[in-house]
């Protein structure tokens, strides 16, 4: 760490006390009430298939289910993308093993892109609906609205994006601070999620080894000071933090050789069991901040000094 910067900001002389202040102010979570479900996205995903789901509603409790399904597939092939969604799968092309216990494994390809179907393809889709249990669902479980059912599925699928949303919270904090201080910091460019090769387009040379690396943020101060900012959050411990620390130490070395700067913002109780790795980062990386230090103004202070 750039010890003098930390001493000046925190008014703490001892480096071990500085590290302790960092660890003592780690936060347990960065989840706010909006973290759990992106309701606007859920609504948009369901609305996208509103007409198609209305057509498929006619299959609910239908006494001649397979005949009715065949008629729909012939007349309304646009319903095809709905079938994988109804089993909580977003992909339209699936590969499935016919019978995993069989001595001879046969893998079938299923394509749910909307198109006019051949008779063989219609039979294959009907077979898929029967074997996946969707027929059972239509005849025994479904109520009056597939839209309501798909809404529930979309809520479930939406939870898979929570890890990304956790990272987005950190990115939003940084972006918000920088935009507020853009003029004060004399920012020429502020780029989110770029590859470093983007610098070539604005007349800044870039080493070959960095060219295709991706950054969370690249900030360019007038006239041409390049700052790479990375942000993440760890609420569990494991091997990944060690890998990240090593990669960021290497990143800073590469950036320094190019005359660039590096700031790492990280937080989370996962570091409570990973103190050795983070201590290594303090020893090797100039600027390691948590969200408390960012909110208290140290992040902006560092950007002013660079």
């Amino acid at each position: 760490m750039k010890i003098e910067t930390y001493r000046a900001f925190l008014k703490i002389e001892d480096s071990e006390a500085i590290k302790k202040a960092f660890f003592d102010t780690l936060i347990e979570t960065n989840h706010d009430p909006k973290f759990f479900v992106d309701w606007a996205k859920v609504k948009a995903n369901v609305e996208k298939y509103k007409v198609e789901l209305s057509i498929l509603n006619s299959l609910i409790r239908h006494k001649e289910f397979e005949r009715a399904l065949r008629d729909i597939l012939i007349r309304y092939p646009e319903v095809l993308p709905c079938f994988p969604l109804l089993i909580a799968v977003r992909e339209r092309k699936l590969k499935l093993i016919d019978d995993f216990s069989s001595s001879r494994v046969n893998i079938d390809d299923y394509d749910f892109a909307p198109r006019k179907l051949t008779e063989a393809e219609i039979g294959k889709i009907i077979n898929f609906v029967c074997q996946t249990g969707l027929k059972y669902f239509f005849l025994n479980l479904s109520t009056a609205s597939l839209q309501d059912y798909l809404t529930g599925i979309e809520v479930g699928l939406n939870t898979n994006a929570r890890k990304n949303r956790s990272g987005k919270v950190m990115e939003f904090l940084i972006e918000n601070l920088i935009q507020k201080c853009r003029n004060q910091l004399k920012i020429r460019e502020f780029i989110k999620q770029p590859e470093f090769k983007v610098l070539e387009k604005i007349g800044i040379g870039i080493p070959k080894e960095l060219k295709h690396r991706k950054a969370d943020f690249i900030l360019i101060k007038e006239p041409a000071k390049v700052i790479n900012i990375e942000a993440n959050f760890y609420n569990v411990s494991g091997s990944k933090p060690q890998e990240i620390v090593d990669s960021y130490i290497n990143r800073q070395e590469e950036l320094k050789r190019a005359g660039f700067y590096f700031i790492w913002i990280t937080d989370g109780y996962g570091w409570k069991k990973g103190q050795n790795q983070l201590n290594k980062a303090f020893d090797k990386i100039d600027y390691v901040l948590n969200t408390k230090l960012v909110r208290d103004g140290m992040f902006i202070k560092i950007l002013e000094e660079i």
Side-chain angles (χ1 to χ4, degrees):
M1 69 171 77
K2 290 269 190 183
I3 189 67
E4 292 306 322
T5 300
Y6 285 81
R7 284 172 177 165
F9 187 84
L10 295 173
K11 306 294 189 291
I12 299 173
E13 287 297 317
D14 181 63
S15 62
E16 292 305 311
I18 290 171
K19 292 176 186 178
K20 184 177 185 302
F22 183 98
F23 285 111
D24 286 348
T25 54
L26 291 171
I27 55 176
E28 189 171 0
T29 181
N30 67 347
H31 302 168
D32 63 11
K34 295 178 181 178
F35 166 78
F36 298 98
V37 179
D38 184 343
W39 292 106
K41 188 173 182 180
V42 168
K43 181 181 178 183
N45 287 345
V46 175
E47 288 286 326
K48 191 188 304 182
Y49 296 104
K50 185 176 180 180
V51 173
E52 291 82 356
L53 292 170
S54 296
I55 293 168
L56 290 176
N57 275 336
S58 64
L59 292 172
I60 295 173
R61 310 296 170 108
H62 200 294
K63 292 181 180 179
E64 296 183 58
F65 178 84
E66 290 185 32
R67 180 193 61 76
L69 176 55
R70 180 182 295 275
D71 289 344
I72 287 173
L73 291 173
I74 293 170
R75 296 175 63 191
Y76 307 107
E78 60 269 26
V79 304
L80 280 167
C82 293
F83 293 113
L85 285 174
L86 292 175
I87 55 170
V89 175
R90 293 210 189 278
E91 291 78 11
R92 290 188 180 184
K93 290 187 176 182
L94 304 176
K95 289 183 180 291
L96 300 176
I97 294 176
D98 208 15
D99 182 359
F100 193 66
S101 64
S102 173
S103 59
R104 186 175 180 179
V105 173
N106 180 46
I107 297 178
D108 283 330
D109 292 303
Y110 292 87
D111 186 353
F112 294 94
R115 66 197 185 281
K116 186 176 181 179
L117 299 170
T118 65
E119 192 60 33
E121 287 175 322
I122 290 171
K124 197 170 183 178
I125 297 298
I126 292 173
N127 186 54
F128 173 89
V129 170
C130 293
Q131 290 195 338
T132 57
L134 276 174
K135 178 180 177 180
Y136 181 85
F137 163 75
F138 275 100
L139 295 182
N140 298 283
L141 298 177
S142 184
T143 55
S145 173
L146 289 178
Q147 287 92 331
D148 291 346
Y149 170 71
L150 186 59
T151 298
I153 284 181
E154 283 292 339
V155 169
L157 289 174
N158 196 258
T159 63
N160 295 331
R162 286 179 183 172
K163 183 178 179 181
N164 290 334
R165 281 200 290 274
S166 184
K168 292 294 181 186
V169 170
M170 298 289 282
E171 291 174 16
F172 177 79
L173 170 65
I174 295 162
E175 183 178 2
N176 195 40
L177 281 171
I178 289 174
Q179 296 296 4
K180 283 181 180 177
C181 302
R182 193 172 183 120
N183 293 332
Q184 170 191 335
L185 296 172
K186 299 180 180 177
I187 295 172
R188 172 181 161 190
E189 299 279 352
F190 179 57
I191 314 163
K192 296 186 292 180
Q193 301 288 331
E195 290 185 349
F196 279 92
K197 65 181 181 181
V198 74
L199 295 173
E200 294 177 330
K201 296 179 180 178
I202 49 181
I204 298 174
I206 182 76
K208 192 180 295 183
E209 65 268 21
L210 278 171
K211 200 169 187 178
H212 298 290
R213 301 278 180 83
K214 196 170 183 181
D216 285 342
F217 300 100
I218 292 177
L219 185 150
I220 304 170
K221 287 185 65 177
E222 296 287 0
K225 288 184 177 179
V226 176
I227 306 163
N228 172 205
I229 303 162
E230 297 293 319
N232 43 38
F233 190 93
Y234 291 111
N235 50 21
V236 294
S237 59
S239 60
K240 191 177 180 183
Q242 181 177 349
E243 296 168 14
I244 292 293
V245 167
D246 289 341
S247 71
Y248 284 165
I249 290 171
N250 292 333
R251 170 73 64 87
Q252 179 176 264
E253 289 174 357
E254 291 171 336
L255 290 168
K256 278 191 169 183
R257 286 197 292 270
F260 301 160
Y261 300 85
F262 180 68
I263 300 173
W264 181 25
I265 299 169
T266 190
D267 214 315
Y269 271 17
W271 290 118
K272 295 283 187 179
K273 292 183 179 180
Q275 289 195 26
N276 288 338
Q277 284 81 24
L278 205 51
N279 279 327
K280 182 180 177 183
F282 281 127
D283 293 337
K284 300 288 186 180
I285 297 175
D286 291 343
Y287 305 111
V288 182
L289 306 176
N290 62 18
T291 51
K292 174 72 163 55
L293 293 174
V294 171
R295 289 192 180 94
D296 286 351
M298 189 173 180
F299 175 57
I300 298 300
K301 186 70 174 174
I302 290 168
L303 291 179
E304 286 175 338
E305 291 177 356
I306 288 176

